[in-house]
Amino acid sequence: MTTGGSETLNKGVFGWIERTGNKLPDPVFLFFYLILFVIALSVIADWLGWSAVHPVAIDPDTGQSQVIAATALLSAENIQRIWVEMPKTFTHFHPLGYVLVVMLGAGVAERSGLFGTAMRAGVSGAPTFLLTPIVALVAMMGNLAADAAYVVLIPLAGVIFAAAGRHPIAGIAAAFAGVSGGFSANLFPGQLDALLFGITQAAAETVFPGWEANIAGNWYFIFVMTFVFLPVIWYVTDRIIEPRLGHYSGPLNPSDSKSGDAVSVDDEVQDRPLDEKERRGMRYAGLAVLGVIALWLIMLFGPGTPLINESAAAEAQLTPFYQSLVGGFFLLFLLAGWAYGKGFGNIKTHRDLVDMMSDSMKDMAYFLVLAFMVAHFVAMFGWSNLGLITAVHGAELLQSLDMPAPILLALVVIFVGVMNLFVGSASAKWALLAPILIPMLMLIGVSAETTTAAYRVGDSATNIITPLMVYFPLILIFCQRWKADFGIGNLTAMMLPYALWLLGAGLALIMVWVAFEIPLGPAAPVFAPPPTS
């Protein structure tokens, strides 16, 4: 594979990032080493008598604020707890249930072909002038389809741009920026929300037991982020990237290229009209989506209102509805995928459906291994009280600095963006940062939803410029189908303007959002007093 430009890249800052990041262990072992570190630190902290005064919890015996002391994880009680509660620690890890439930449905929607066909339908036949924003919007929406957006939409964008007389690599860049740079932007919550808010809940519960996550807690924010990022990607593509690439006069399909590096494009990413089977499948899927929406509206407003707790306080009455969204997205993806498969003809019996659901769980094997380690890291960090002590003292420090909340959240965004260059996994980074950031900021009145939103902004922007991003080599191959000598350095330099503009736009968005205290989602304010129980 040609990697022209990589020699220069390896001598610069991105070469240093690539070399340094490659030295990091696999995230599974990274969390194993962190567990060993937490065990050692807990012993030292217990010996030194580290403690903090809980600002909310009251000691029932004295009536005074509760003093939290560090606890050694090598005490007899905690050693017993580690081994006895190991199954419970793993199976009760919130992201595990959230993600597996949603993926059971999403796996059917992906394997039946619904996601791929929907993305093709979204960008095919777009007017040349609107091609970039349509590709970018579908790319951001494509994050609901997880990996399918990378392997279907990005190469398809190159084909469509070429067919429209535009540079195909500009199409690839716009789609890559939307799928990966706009990773958290979307019109609807989805798999990523289930994953991140599962980790958010686990982190919050280390200090505030009983706190419940709402996976729609960033819905308004990510909706607006979509339309903030859309003109940014449009401008950078049409005004910066495509002029630099110059006029394209090569073949209209990479499979026609004479280059030795050319790779034929699979039929699923060709720019061809939907056939009758695909159109029938899309109609069936649309009816299934409407059916699920109607069902949820009936449960909200129909007899008995099962998704409304009418006996609760006004602000808590919709809690069952928010908690039902995980199951709702499972059913939505499952029935829409099933309906599409029936219409298309690749789901003939219930066994085909079960096979697709089983295959989706096979793809989750690595996540299960990682979740096992992360679950024990988060749990043991909580048992040691190190997270709470750090959060309390960190909150006191932030209060003494009297830093405006918009500036504070902007610093979180920048820190996460830099860290993302070295640790690409969104779940691994958040599992590492959430046990500190979530409780610390909750203690000074910043809601968990706000901190999660700030994390998402930082996690998105720099995805597209780090060679450690798992799909980075695949995007390089897509580019080399059109230009054989396109190298790592070329790809990084091309995506850098997107990263800088998206990071700037994301920073401005989070600062304005926090300054005006706009709710981030239903029942998700920017600021909230620390829970009292």
Side-chain angles (χ1 to χ4, degrees), residues 226-471:
T226 303
F227 294 101
V228 170
F229 282 2
L230 189 61
V232 170
I233 296 173
W234 190 357
Y235 174 81
V236 173
T237 301
D238 290 5
R239 300 296 182 183
I240 299 177
I241 300 305
E242 197 163 14
R244 288 183 181 178
L245 290 170
H247 177 69
Y248 177 76
S249 58
L252 297 183
N253 192 302
S255 60
D256 298 331
S257 172
K258 304 302 182 183
S259 163
D261 285 331
V263 182
S264 63
V265 179
D266 294 335
D267 180 64
E268 67 174 342
V269 300
Q270 296 288 347
D271 180 25
R272 57 176 176 80
L274 300 187
D275 59 31
E276 178 54 35
K277 291 194 301 181
E278 290 169 328
R279 289 196 296 271
R280 184 169 58 248
M282 291 296 292
R283 289 195 299 269
Y284 287 7
L287 292 174
V289 169
L290 292 176
V292 173
I293 293 173
L295 175 62
W296 249 249
L297 289 175
I298 291 171
M299 290 189 290
L300 266 176
F301 304 112
T305 59
L307 294 184
I308 297 179
N309 183 0
E310 296 180 347
S311 62
E315 64 273 11
Q317 287 187 352
L318 285 175
T319 298
F321 167 70
Y322 302 139
Q323 293 174 340
S324 76
L325 290 177
V326 173
F329 282 114
F330 155 73
L331 194 63
L332 181 73
F333 289 136
L334 175 67
L335 295 185
W338 191 355
Y340 176 88
K342 279 289 187 182
F344 184 79
N346 59 356
I347 297 182
K348 296 181 173 61
T349 71
H350 68 278
R351 290 183 175 83
D352 296 325
L353 180 71
V354 173
D355 286 343
M356 289 181 181
M357 297 176 75
S358 300
D359 285 343
S360 69
M361 291 298 99
K362 292 177 184 176
D363 289 346
M364 298 302 293
Y366 178 80
F367 172 75
L368 292 175
V369 177
L370 177 62
F372 179 81
M373 284 297 177
V374 172
H376 283 84
F377 167 74
V378 172
M380 293 168 71
F381 197 53
W383 299 342
S384 70
N385 288 330
L386 291 175
L388 176 54
I389 293 169
T390 304
V392 169
H393 290 306
E396 291 173 350
L397 175 62
L398 292 177
Q399 286 178 323
S400 68
L401 294 175
D402 197 24
M403 188 179 296
I407 301 298
L408 176 61
L409 273 299
L411 292 176
V412 171
V413 170
I414 293 170
F415 173 73
V416 173
V418 172
M419 187 176 178
N420 192 42
L421 295 172
F422 303 93
V423 182
S425 169
S427 57
K429 277 196 310 296
W430 193 221
L432 182 61
L433 296 174
I436 295 294
L437 291 179
I438 290 293
M440 181 172 69
L441 294 177
M442 287 179 76
L443 287 170
I444 62 171
V446 177
S447 72
E449 292 86 357
T450 304
T451 308
T452 305
Y455 171 80
R456 298 175 76 155
V457 172
D459 177 60
S460 293
T462 53
N463 278 334
I464 51 181
I465 58 172
T466 172
L468 300 176
M469 191 265 182
V470 292
Y471 284 104

Side-chain angles (χ1 to χ4, degrees), residues 36-52:
L36 297 180
F37 174 74
V38 167
I39 290 173
L41 185 61
S42 71
V43 173
I44 296 171
D46 183 51
W47 178 64
L48 293 176
W50 290 2
S51 64

